[in-house]
């Protein structure tokens, strides 16, 4: 939900064999707009959506072990889908701060991976957060500090990035 009260949701739907990543928006007036198709694929996992204070939105999803995103500047159309990584991984977790800086994290083969992107950037910067396995969750505080948290058999693990956006 942005600062004006506009909201967005994203989900995957299956009609027959193909799967779809879809989204719908609700204006501050409470009216939902018709859903729109963001991607058609097989094996789509857990789409995640986030919106900054201005209304810029990002949707992230996993497809065939790749992480994908689409962004939509406030009041504009969705930009083309972008593959963030082509490495095998678990479903991603997405967080966006009020400025639109984004943190995307996922568990890969024996490692926890994160990608960051400023609202003004076109590409994601990818780095390994830790070795090991897990399904991480992303978070960003109002100052732009990011955290990645995941569980293992030993308990909760966290990795902090103080202002990963510079």
């Amino acid at each position: 939900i942005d600062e004006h009260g506009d909201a967005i949701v994203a989900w995957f739907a299956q009609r027959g064999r193909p799967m779809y990543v879809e989204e719908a928006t609700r204006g501050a007036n409470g009216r939902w707009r018709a859903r729109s198709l963001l991607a058609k694929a097989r094996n789509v996992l857990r789409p995640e959506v986030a919106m900054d204070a201005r209304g810029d939105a990002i949707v992230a999803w996993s497809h065939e072990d790749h992480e994908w995103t689409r962004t939509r500047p406030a009041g504009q159309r969705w930009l083309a889908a972008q593959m963030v990584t082509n490495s095998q991984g678990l479903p991603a977790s997405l967080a966006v701060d009020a400025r639109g800086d984004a943190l995307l994290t996922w568990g890969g083969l024996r490692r926890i991976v994160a990608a960051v992107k400023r609202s003004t950037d076109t590409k994601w910067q990818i780095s390994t957060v830790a070795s090991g396995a897990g399904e991480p969750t992303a978070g960003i505080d109002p100052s732009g500090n990011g955290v990645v948290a995941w569980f293992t058999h030993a308990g909760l693990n966290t990795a902090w990035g103080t202002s990963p956006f510079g």
Side-chain angles (χ1 to χ4, degrees):
I1 299 175
D2 68 14
E3 64 186 17
H4 307 291
D6 298 322
I8 185 168
V9 294
W11 65 92
F12 75 88
Q14 187 167 7
R15 292 183 285 282
R17 197 164 158 86
M19 297 176 85
Y20 304 88
V21 178
E22 298 176 334
E23 65 83 27
T25 56
R26 184 189 68 108
N29 62 8
R31 292 192 189 125
W32 286 95
R33 293 178 188 92
R35 71 175 182 234
S36 65
L37 175 67
L38 297 178
K40 178 181 175 183
R42 292 190 329 245
N43 303 323
V44 173
L45 297 175
R46 195 178 73 201
E48 298 243 339
V49 64
M51 188 183 319
D52 67 19
R54 291 181 310 269
D56 301 328
I58 299 176
V59 173
W61 68 92
S62 299
H63 164 240
E64 305 266 327
D65 297 327
H66 308 308
E67 305 306 325
W68 290 83
T69 62
R70 281 190 80 172
T71 58
R72 188 206 65 202
Q76 298 180 30
R77 295 178 179 226
W78 287 96
L79 302 177
Q82 178 183 17
M83 184 189 305
V84 178
T85 180
N86 61 359
S87 62
Q88 186 175 20
L90 297 169
S93 175
L94 174 66
V96 173
D97 68 13
R99 294 179 309 245
D101 298 333
L103 171 63
L104 183 67
T105 185
W106 63 92
L109 293 174
R110 296 181 295 276
R111 64 189 182 133
I112 304 297
V113 182
V116 296
K117 184 176 88 61
R118 287 178 176 271
S119 61
T120 56
D121 292 343
T122 57
K123 297 197 181 232
W124 293 84
Q125 298 174 7
I126 301 171
S127 62
T128 297
V129 173
S131 60
E135 190 171 330
T137 299
I140 300 177
D141 73 11
S143 299
N145 300 309
V147 64
V148 175
W150 67 100
F151 280 102
T152 66
H153 66 281
L156 178 66
N157 298 274
T158 59
W160 283 92
T162 305
S163 297
F165 307 103

